[in-house]
Amino acid sequence: WFQAVAAQTLFKGNIFFNGPRAALNFNDGFGGGDEITENLLLNTCRESSDHGPWNSWDRVPYVTDLRTGEPSIIPADRLIHHNFVIANYNSQEAIDTDDGSAYHKVYHNFFAYGDSGLKSDYGGHDQYWRENIVAYVGSCYGV
């Protein structure tokens, strides 16, 4: 799945597997408000191994009113919860938030393998990571 300039998407109860790159790739933050829940992601990044099963960027600010009802460049929080993610095929991490990705709430997930559970770098911020199980990784968090 690739998403760009979209918001308030619900991904629930899916199985993503055997992909050449990330199973879910969010190109920007746009308005936020997305919810990713009760999914199984595995056997991804089979041709690249340069990120994880879930990947995001946020390089350009957009003005929306989704967070508070008032115009703002701050998007609504993106919720990632109750997922089972296996970051095999030498994935760098289970959740990869690159290039300014922000306003994610990641909780109640199970992440296995990969170099780390969550990576947030290149200007990423406001990543709330709580009550996740991270198994068989090199580190739980990479910056």
Side-chain angles (χ1 to χ4, degrees):
W1 171 263
F2 176 84
Q3 177 169 309
V5 193
Q8 298 177 319
T9 303
L10 173 63
F11 285 98
K12 182 176 181 179
N14 300 288
I15 299 173
F16 298 92
F17 66 99
N18 290 347
R21 296 186 56 83
L24 296 169
N25 192 358
F26 287 78
N27 187 62
D28 51 63
F30 189 59
D34 304 301
E35 184 175 7
I36 298 96
T37 185
E38 300 174 19
N39 299 292
L40 171 62
L41 285 72
L42 70 152
N43 292 353
T44 63
C45 305
R46 293 171 54 165
E47 295 176 8
S48 62
S49 71
D50 64 346
H51 45 75
W54 191 93
N55 191 38
S56 68
W57 304 291
D58 192 7
R59 299 175 180 141
V60 179
Y62 293 93
V63 177
T64 70
D65 62 1
L66 295 178
R67 186 172 187 91
T68 65
E70 298 291 324
S72 174
I73 61 170
I74 300 174
D77 291 326
R78 182 173 282 150
L79 307 177
I80 304 170
H81 62 93
H82 296 96
N83 298 289
F84 193 101
V85 180
I86 300 174
N88 53 349
Y89 281 92
N90 199 32
S91 291
Q92 288 179 353
E93 47 280 317
I95 302 292
D96 186 356
T97 57
D98 275 335
D99 302 343
S101 291
Y103 306 103
H104 296 95
K105 291 187 176 179
V106 182
Y107 58 95
H108 297 167
N109 298 287
F110 179 85
F111 301 116
Y113 304 111
D115 289 339
S116 60
L118 169 71
K119 180 187 82 167
S120 182
D121 60 5
Y122 302 109
H125 56 89
D126 291 278
Q127 310 290 349
Y128 298 97
W129 176 272
R130 65 179 173 85
E131 300 173 21
N132 296 294
I133 296 174
V134 181
Y136 309 108
V137 296
S139 66
C140 289
Y141 186 82
V143 290

